Amino acid sequence: MNALPGTKWQTVANQAAGRHDVTEVQPGAGPTVRRMLLGSQLRRLRIDKGLSREQAGEAIRASEWKIHRLENGQVGYKDRDIVDLLRLYAVTDPEEIAVFLVMAHEANLPSWWSHLSDILPQWFRAYVDLESSAMLIRAYEGQFVPGLLQTEEYMRAVMRGALLDDSQEELDRRVRLRLGRQQVLLDQTDAPRLWAVVDEAALRRPVGGRAVMRAQLERLIDATKLPRVTLQILPLGAGAHPAMVGSFSILRFPDEELPDVVYVEHLTSALYLNKHDDVDQYLHVMESICVRSRPPDATMEFLDKLLTDADTT
Amino acid sequence: MLPSHSFEDADPNWVPPEIDTSVAHSARVYDYWLGGKNNFPADRALAENILKVVPTMRTMARANRAFLSRAVRYLVKEAGIRQFLDIGTGIPSAGNTHEAAQETAPDSRVVYVDNDPIVLAHARALMTGLRAGETAFILADLRQPEAILAHPTLAARLDFTQPVAVMLVAILMFFRDAEDPYGIVSKLLDPLPPGSYLAISHPTADFNAQAMAGAVAAAEHSGITLVPRNRAEVEAFFAGLTLVEPGVVPVLAWQPDGEPPAEPESAYYYAGIGRKP
C-alpha cells in the first residue's frame, strides 16, 4: 500500500496559521476531506465579509447552488474560482492565496484506492476517502459483519450472495479493495477508531456456511482485542429499536471545523448527510442503540457463546 | 422476559435506558465548550446562552479539564495513589483520569461513575485503559452515595484497604444545599482508609458575580441546577481533611504547570485537594 497523499500539507497549513487560522489537515486526509476543509474556510471568509452565496456566485459566474456545493466540499475548485473568491473576500497576500491554491491541488491528488477505481462506484469513492480521514467511525450494521472486520471468505460469500453480475476477476478486485480498506484503517498507528454496533441477527446468519462463519466469529473475537476497535452487540432481546430502518455510519473528523458525515448506503447510490438537523437525528439513533446494546466488555464472552452454540446445533 | 445477558447482567430487572436529547444535559453542554461534537440542539443552545454572559467559558472549561490532569498527576506522583473513583465522568475528552494516571503508573485503576447512559456508553467504548480490567464503569447517581459504594463493580475493582482518590470535578454545583452535598461527600469518604484523597473543582461567583448570575439564570432556564459557591463553602467540603498546598484556590492557581497565571481569577472555578488523615 502506498503512503497516503498529503504529508507535506501540514507545513503549508502551518505557514498560514495565525492569518486566517487555516485548519491543519491531518496527514492521511483524503481528497474529499481536503475539499470539505477548503470549502469550510472559504465559507468562513465569505460570512466574515457579510456576503451572501449569491454575491459570491456572481464573482465566479456561478449560481448560489454552485457556491453551496463548493463550500460543502461536494465539487472541486478551479484555480480561477479560488483567486476570484479570495479577491472578493479581500485576501490579497500572495502567500496566503498560494496556501489556498495548494490546498485545492492536493484535493485533486489521487487516493490510495485510485488503481482500483474502475470497480468503485462513483457514490462509494467519497466514502472510502472520508473513512480514511476520520478519527472515529461509528457504524451500525443490521445484516452483515461490518466490512472492516470481515474475513476474506465471509467477504466473498457476501459478494456472491449479492448476485452482482461480476466476473471472477472483478470479484477479486472488490475483495482487494476491502482488504485494502482494512489495512488502511486497522493497521496504521494514526488510524481512526472504529466503534461498531452489530445486530445479533447478523451474527447468527451463517454467511458462507458454518466453517466460514466460525472463522468470522473468531476474527471478531480477535478484533475486540485491538486497541482501536470497539464492538457492541445489539441483542435480539432489545426488541424494536430506532435503527431497524437500516445500517448507517457516522464519520467524525479531527478538525473541529468539519461536521460529522452520516453515510447511508442504498443498492445503487448512497446518501452523505452533514447538515446539523440530519446528523443530530442519526447521532440520536446511534446513542439509543449503543445504550441498548451489550457493553463492549461483554462482547467477547457473547461471541464465545455463539461459537459454542454453532458447535452444538 | 428480559434476556439474561442484558446490559447490566447483575440486574435481572434491567430495562434499556431511555435517552432524551431534547433537553440540555450538562455533560453534552461541556462537550460543546470543549469543541466536541457529541451534542444536540438543546445542549448547543444552552452552551451558547452561557457564552453570551461568560464569553470565555470555553477557556474556563479547558482550565477545569487541565486541573483534572494536574490533580491526577499530583495524586499519582506525589501522593502515590493508584486507585481512583471519578464521579461525573463526562463525555471522554483529552486527558481523561485513567490516561493521566496510567501515563505515570500503568497499574492505576479507575472506576468511572456517571448517571447519564450516553456518557457511560461513550466512556465504556472509548476509555479503555492500557490493560483490560483496569478501568470500570458504573451507572449511578452521586445523589445516592450508598448505591455507588455498594455497587459490586466497585468492590471488584477497588481495594478499600488501600488509599483511594475521589474525584469530584465540576459536579457538586449541581446540588443545592438542601440536597446535602456536604453529607454526600462525607458518606463517600467514610469507608476510605487514611491516606485517601478528595479532589474538587467548583464554579464560584467570587470573581465575577454578574457573569455567574447570568450563567445560573441561563442554566436554570434550561432546567439545570447551578449553584456557585464561595471559597469558604468550597473549603467546607474538605472538613476533616488536610488540604494539600496551596489549599482551595482559583483553579488556574492550583499547582500550575509553568509560570503562575497572570490572572488567576479569569476562570471562575475554585479547586483543591485534601488528604484524609
Side-chain angles (χ1 to χ4, degrees):
Chain A
M1 196 67 43
N2 291 324
L4 293 160
T7 36
K8 71 174 177 185
W9 167 251
Q10 248 171 334
T11 344
V12 182
N14 286 341
Q15 284 168 3
R19 296 216 181 86
H20 281 108
D21 190 25
V22 175
T23 310
E24 213 170 86
V25 181
Q26 302 297 312
T32 311
V33 162
R34 286 160 194 284
R35 278 211 311 268
M36 283 166 60
L37 267 175
L38 178 61
S40 72
Q41 278 154 28
L42 285 164
R43 182 195 297 117
R44 195 171 50 191
L45 287 173
R46 175 177 62 74
I47 290 168
D48 287 350
K49 279 277 154 199
L51 295 166
S52 68
R53 282 198 289 261
E54 201 178 355
Q55 288 167 311
E58 279 166 21
I60 60 162
R61 306 145 298 275
S63 65
E64 183 188 352
W65 177 239
K66 172 82 180 287
I67 296 292
H68 177 80
R69 288 172 54 80
L70 285 167
E71 290 182 352
N72 277 320
Q74 289 162 302
V75 287
Y77 282 88
K78 294 196 198 89
D79 283 2
R80 187 179 157 196
D81 293 347
I82 289 180
V83 171
D84 289 348
L85 283 175
L86 291 176
R87 185 180 305 124
L88 180 67
Y89 303 154
V91 176
T92 52
D93 180 344
E95 264 185 60
E96 228 175 314
I97 295 170
V99 167
F100 279 92
L101 291 174
V102 169
M103 203 183 326
H105 288 178
E106 297 206 339
N108 293 328
L109 288 177
S111 296
W112 66 265
W113 46 264
S114 51
H115 62 294
L116 297 166
S117 60
D118 55 318
I119 55 152
L120 265 183
Q122 194 69 39
W123 49 263
F124 191 59
R125 295 178 187 180
Y127 182 77
V128 179
D129 263 341
L130 290 173
E131 181 183 68
S132 50
S133 309
M135 64 178 280
L136 174 67
I137 303 169
R138 294 182 71 177
Y140 166 69
E141 280 291 350
Q143 296 297 334
F144 311 111
V145 165
L148 292 174
L149 302 177
Q150 291 174 2
T151 64
E152 186 173 337
E153 286 310 309
Y154 183 98
M155 229 177 263
R156 288 180 184 278
V158 167
M159 289 174 189
R160 281 194 301 268
L163 295 176
L164 295 169
D165 199 12
D166 283 351
S167 68
Q168 183 63 40
E169 197 212 349
E170 278 173 62
L171 197 140
D172 287 343
R173 285 162 67 84
R174 283 182 197 283
V175 167
R176 261 168 56 208
L177 173 78
R178 193 166 289 179
L179 293 173
R181 282 171 59 210
Q182 293 187 351
Q183 202 176 336
V184 166
L185 290 170
L186 302 179
D187 296 353
Q188 301 205 350
T189 47
D190 60 348
R193 179 180 270 275
L194 173 66
W195 178 5
V197 177
V198 183
D199 200 291
E200 181 179 335
L203 302 177
R204 290 194 180 272
R205 171 171 291 129
V207 170
R210 282 175 60 171
V212 170
M213 197 59 203
R214 187 180 172 83
Q216 177 62 67
L217 291 172
E218 281 165 355
R219 162 68 62 87
L220 289 180
I221 289 174
D222 290 344
T224 61
K225 296 170 193 156
L226 295 173
R228 305 193 66 76
V229 172
T230 300
L231 183 59
Q232 286 187 265
I233 297 169
L234 180 59
L236 290 173
H241 62 79
M244 291 178 86
V245 63
S247 305
F248 64 98
S249 305
I250 304 176
L251 303 177
R252 177 158 300 169
F253 306 99
D255 315 84
E256 276 184 34
E257 289 274 307
L258 292 182
D260 289 354
V261 173
V262 175
Y263 176 76
V264 189
E265 195 172 303
H266 305 301
L267 187 58
T268 57
S269 67
L271 274 180
Y272 295 85
L273 307 168
N274 67 1
K275 287 207 194 84
H276 258 323
D277 288 355
D278 294 320
V279 174
D280 285 342
Q281 292 208 30
Y282 277 92
L283 192 60
H284 174 90
V285 170
M286 192 63 94
E287 304 295 19
S288 303
I289 60 173
C290 284
V291 303
R292 279 174 163 80
S293 299
R294 294 187 185 86
D297 56 12
T299 296
M300 200 190 296
E301 189 188 331
F302 183 75
L303 292 169
D304 276 335
K305 184 176 167 298
L306 277 183
L307 275 176
T308 317
D309 288 356
D311 285 343
T312 53
T313 49
Chain B
M1 189 58 210
L2 288 150
S4 59
H5 37 58
S6 60
F7 179 69
E8 291 281 334
D9 284 328
D11 180 3
N13 296 317
W14 180 80
V15 283
E18 285 302 321
I19 62 168
D20 185 358
T21 56
S22 69
V23 293
H25 187 281
S26 55
R28 298 192 297 261
V29 172
Y30 209 76
D31 173 73
Y32 179 84
W33 288 329
L34 290 174
K37 297 172 194 171
N38 291 306
N39 45 69
F40 292 90
D43 309 312
R44 297 193 282 270
L46 172 56
E48 286 292 339
N49 283 340
I50 291 181
L51 280 167
K52 277 180 207 150
V53 286
V54 187
T56 52
M57 190 60 230
R58 285 192 174 90
T59 320
M60 292 188 205
R62 282 197 290 274
N64 181 60
R65 196 74 201 167
F67 165 71
L68 171 68
S69 296
R70 292 202 303 281
V72 171
R73 284 204 308 273
Y74 169 86
L75 290 165
V76 170
K77 288 183 184 166
E78 313 292 326
I81 291 288
R82 293 293 180 272
Q83 307 191 95
F84 292 85
L85 177 57
D86 182 339
I87 305 177
T89 307
I91 290 168
S93 180
N96 300 300
T97 298
H98 74 281
E99 289 158 345
Q102 291 174 351
E103 194 178 79
T104 307
D107 57 335
S108 301
R109 277 169 287 162
V110 180
V111 174
Y112 288 109
V113 180
D114 208 286
N115 66 350
D116 180 65
I118 297 183
V119 168
L120 206 72
H122 281 253
R124 282 175 184 270
L126 307 176
M127 305 214 301
T128 46
L130 291 177
R131 292 183 220 161
E134 279 159 358
T135 53
F137 309 93
I138 298 176
L139 183 66
D141 198 312
L142 182 54
R143 284 179 176 74
Q144 280 122 29
E146 297 88 352
I148 296 175
L149 291 168
H151 199 287
T153 301
L154 194 69
R157 302 305 169 106
L158 300 186
D159 173 2
F160 273 27
T161 67
Q162 297 299 313
V164 175
V166 177
M167 312 299 292
L168 297 173
V169 174
I171 181 169
L172 290 166
M173 70 282 197
F174 299 129
F175 291 76
R176 297 185 197 285
D177 284 351
E179 296 173 281
D180 193 21
Y182 296 97
I184 288 172
V185 170
S186 116
K187 275 181 196 153
L188 278 175
L189 294 176
D190 264 350
L192 303 183
S196 291
Y197 283 82
L198 170 68
I200 286 176
S201 69
H202 199 299
T204 183
D206 286 4
F207 313 149
N208 187 336
Q210 197 187 349
M212 190 49 73
V216 169
E220 302 274 348
H221 183 72
S222 292
I224 292 179
T225 300
L226 176 54
V227 185
R229 290 192 167 86
N230 64 31
R231 188 192 293 252
E233 288 167 331
V234 176
E235 278 171 349
F237 285 114
F238 296 96
L241 307 185
T242 312
L243 277 168
V244 165
E245 283 301 310
V248 171
V249 295
V251 67
L252 290 172
W254 196 93
Q255 299 201 7
D257 277 334
E259 291 293 301
E263 293 176 64
E265 298 191 350
S266 62
Y268 311 154
Y269 285 89
Y270 279 119
I273 293 186
R275 181 180 191 276
K276 188 168 175 176

